[in-house]
Each structure stands twice: as C-alpha cells, then as structure tokens.
Amino acid sequence: MLNDSVRQIKGVGEKLADALHVLSIETIEDLIFYFPYRYDVFEVKPIGELIHDDKVTIEGTILYDPVLTFFGRKKSRLVFTLNVEGISVKAVLFNRAFAKKQLQAGDTVTLTGKWDAHRLQITVSTYKKGRYEHDAAISPVYSIKGDITSRTLKKTLTYALDHFSNDIVEILPESYLHAYKLPERKSAVRTMHAPESRYKLKHARRRFVYEEFLLFQLKMQYVKKMHREATPGISHQYQETALHNFIESFSFSLTRAQDRALKEILEDMRSPYSMNRLLQGDVGSGKTAVAAIALYAAVTGGKQCALMVPTEILAEQHFLSLTDLFGERAKIALLTGSIKGKKRQLIRSSIESHDVDIVIGTHALIQDDVFFHDLGLVIVDEQHRFGVKQRRTLRDKGWQPDVLFMTATPIPRTLAISAFGDMDVSIIDEMPAGRKEVETYWVTDQHFPRVLEFIGKHIVRGEQAYVVCPLIEESDQLDIQNAVDVYEQLSEFYPEPIQVGLLHGRLHTEEKERIMKAFSTNNIQILVSTTVIEVGVNVPNATVMVIYDAERFGLSQLHQLRGRVGRGQGQSHCILIADPKGEVGKERMRIMTETTDGFVLAEEDLKLRGPGDFFGTKQSGMPEFKVADMVHDYRALETARVDAVEIVHNGLLESDPAYSKLAAYIESELAVTKKMD
C-alpha cells in the first residue's frame, strides 16, 4: 500500500529511512511523488538555432589534440577545436586536466555547456566520447540534502515504481482527462521520473500542475463554502422589470463580459449568504456601469447602498455621473471630508432616516457619527487603497451587507486574491465597442524638445496633458528626472496663458484636491505629477500622457498611468521617455507600445518578473507545490479555480459517482489539515 512506511521497500534500512526523512519522505507515496525539480535536456540542435548564453549540447570531431595550461594552484584550462557541421568551434574545460589523456584529435565527442554565439565557443560542463544518444536525452535532477546521494535516491525510487506503481489510483474524473487531454495518473508519475520524450514530459507535468491546483482550490472552496454558509446575509428581493428597464435606458449596450460579471453579482445578491466579491476589469472596461446596476438592484429591494472611493474628486465624479444615470430613480447623496456644518448634519440625518438611497463618499462614510437605516450593499472602489480595518468598519454600518470590491489593477493582485483570499472574483476582460486605443510611443531623453512641441500642439487645440516623474525632488543616488525640476522647466518653456500645475504625495490632501479640481476644470493645462494620479482621476479632456524615466516603472503601473488618458472622444497618446540599460527594461517598453490590453500586459509582466515580486519571497500561507508554479502556471490556476467552484457549487463530490475517488482524496487531505491545525 502506498501509505506504508518506506521501510517496506527492499534495501531501505534505518539509516536510509532517516536520510529520506530529511527530505520529508515517510511513506511509499511520498517517495513516488518526490518529483525532480528540474531536467537536464541534452538535445543536439543545429548551430544556427543555438541561443547565446544558453546551456546547449553539441556534437563534433576534435581537429587537434587539446592544449592544457595551468594557472594558480590546482587550476587548469583545457582547450581544443572541433568540427561541428563544417564550422570550427572552440571548446574550453576548466579544472579537468585528466581529460587531456582521454581526448585526442579524431575523436567524436558530445559536449554540454554554456554557448557563446559571438566567439563560437562552448564552456563545457559535461562531456562524453562518442555520438549523441537520443535515448539518454532527458536526465531528471532531484533535490537532495543530508546523507543521501542522488544515485541512492534514484535506485530506491526505481524499485518503488517497479513494485508499487499499480497501487496509484486515478483521482480525476474521466471527463476531465478527456477535456484537457491529460495522461492518466500512473503513467504520468512514471514519465515524471523517467521521461521518454520532451512531449510526454510536458503533458505529464501539465497533468500534475492541474491536479495540484485543483486539489488546492477544492480545499479553498470548501473552506469558503463552510464560512459562507455560517455567515447569513441579505437575500435581495430586487424588481427584475425595473432593473431591465434601467439597463435599457443606457446609451450603450453591455458587453458580454459585463453581462457575465453582472449575472454573478446578482446571483450573490439573491442568495441568503453575504456577498464578498471582487470585480476586476481594465481601465475603461465598464466596471462602474455594472456597479450602478448592482446599486439599483439593492435600491429596488428597499435597501440603502454605500459607494466608498479613495479621493474626494473621484467621489464627486461618481456622484455627478450616477445622479445623471439614475435620474429620479434613486436619491443620491455625497459625503466627503470637506462637507461640514449644517450641510453635513442634514446629509447624516437623511442617511439615518432612509431619505437617501445611495451614499457616495470617501473615508467620511466610516466616521462614528454616520449611521445607516438599512445598509444592504457596500461597494469599495480601488479596494487596495483602503485598509482591512477601514473596509470592515464600512461593512459594520449595516447587518451583514453584501460587499463588492472593484479594482483596475491587472492580474498579479487578482491572482493573489483568488489564490489566498476568501473573495469570489468576477473579471471584465472585454472593452466596450468603439473605444479608441491610446497610441503609445517610446522615445529617449534626447527627443524631449520634440515631446514639448507635441504637448504644445495639443494644448493649443484645447486639450490637456499629464507629465509623470518618478521622484519629487532631486536625488544624488538616482539620475532620474524629478517632478519639481520638470515643473520649473515646463513653466518656463510654455508661454501664458498655458498653466502648469505640480502634484505630489507630500502635499496636503486639500491642496491635492484643489490642484486636481483646477486640472479637471481646465484651469491647469499641464499637470506635472508623481504617481499619485495613478488612480481616482477622470479628466476626459486630457489626451496626452508623458512618463519620464518609464523604465523605473513596472508594466502594470505604466498601464495604470496610461489609463488616465483615452477617456474622452478624441485620440489620446502616451509617450514613454526611457533609456533602459537591460534587456528586461527594453522588453517592457516594447510590450507597452504593442498592446493596450491590461490582461496581456499582466501576462507579460508575470513572464518578466519572478514570484517574489508579486507575493514576497516568504509570504506566510503561501502554498508549496511539488510541480506547479503559481506565477508561471497562473492560467492553469484560473482553470482549476473555475472547475473547483463548479464542483463545490453543484455538490458533485457528494452526488456524482464519477467524483468518488476525488472526494475520498479531498476528505483525507482535509482530515490531515484539520489534524495539523
């Protein structure tokens, strides 16, 4: 049986069992599922296909006897030339003087090492005499520590596979294997340890990536379900006809993605449990329209609603747009920190007496003196700008109100939330028809005079521009433009009546609001700013975004900044001024000029950055997977999450015999987790 001790394996005594224990291998199953952490792939490719600085394998004939030189104590360098496809290639071996006796002119050799395409040279890590062997192309490499050797581990593993692999049970339903073209569990395990080809290894790995994510997500969904069912909420009895008529009154049609997200939100609102959902969509994808429909649904059911946003100017913009959208259908109030005295008192009493249906505001909504009569729905825009305590305080203003969080931050943050959080996630991944893409250009600093002319032309047309810098004031450490310097340059460059404004994080909130208001009313034409304008600003008249030292920003941040323009009818432009030194920086700039799709950008960001950038290197609660990688395999994670939600939601583990093996596995896993807790 697989859950028997490794001591049942022939040749495993107390000493070897102790060595395996260091690797957290206690049972036969632990051993069989102790997969290699990487594979050395020795595949000979034509010289023209070899990539500079990659680890490669080449085959050729030695032209001259190797030359050996010594330098320093016990340090040597062996050099020889070989003929590869009629081309002379130089081979270098360090500190292997003994190879001088093994290799000579006329020998055919297979070499693996680091390739230098410029010098046609290979720095050899491994070599063997003779031709390349196709059946030994893939070599598994295991993580080992303590007293055990790689050879002993492989020998013990081979015995375990030969004698116990028939006990490996398939836990995925047949329909999933067929739908995703996954190999069955037993053959996939064998392939992971002894791959016959890269193709089979790829599919075996794909199978275990999906399996690990599905098991993890099923446990997550079960915990979420138990928590949800233990948290009674409001079942909104909204008026479907009124809601339909409200949607029909829009001057545009909802996209399929908006329809899908709305359906998920309304389903949550109808349920007797508390909604805790994240609505994620790219800048301009129409999250606000979906939120407005959810607000109206709650209003038709006789409930009050609160919409909390991070800045006063954004609160005012939402208030104006929603007042226009709702008309006489709902009573809407605005409550911000700058509203004081009798006016504030009047709004507070209107909220408490339910003379107001929807309250839009900033942190002012969570003050102790604000009381709701019957709060049924809370929406938090740009939710990451508020702390957990602030979000909870707003929720506590009612009895278990439904909560909807909104964010325009691309996938990495959502990936973290969907992996670790207790939120359901709705994604709007489609842009409204007819929306003009922001044209993006990448230029170097020497083109700044032309950029100034470009800005000037658009200002003359009555349009406005942002100029974003990474720093507020000059820094000796970093040679990058700063907001104060650029503000002074632009103020001097542009004649009256063009007004240049300066916005940064060190200004008081009131001053920031004053400057933004002046910009939104076109009293300031050019706004020089740090990244404080990243969220919460909607100025349709702004058509130019210039980002200085753009290589200092990540892709998602650049995309957020670019999203500040392109909100009106006119064509908008984003100019990235950058001189990146590394390949990653250049790649970022190239990607930014090629796509305006935040989801595509986020995918590229995941490829360019490691997991530590998104989750921290030692984040508590970070699950450890044997095969899967949460960042690079995030598509499989999303697929597994969707499948897990469907399985748990429809009760398939309990009701469908095809899921019985999976149900038994999950039950045992949850039992182990509960025991550990």
Side-chain angles (χ1 to χ4, degrees), residues 375-391:
L375 184 61
L377 175 63
V378 168
I379 299 181
V380 182
D381 196 11
E382 293 300 340
Q383 58 89 24
H384 61 279
R385 297 281 293 272
F386 298 99
V388 174
K389 191 176 177 183
Q390 291 170 321
R391 300 198 297 256

Side-chain angles (χ1 to χ4, degrees), residues 591-607:
I591 294 164
M592 280 295 296
T593 60
E594 289 182 0
T595 182
T596 56
D597 187 323
F599 290 88
V600 172
L601 281 166
E603 284 178 29
E604 296 296 335
D605 219 5
L606 286 170
K607 293 172 190 172

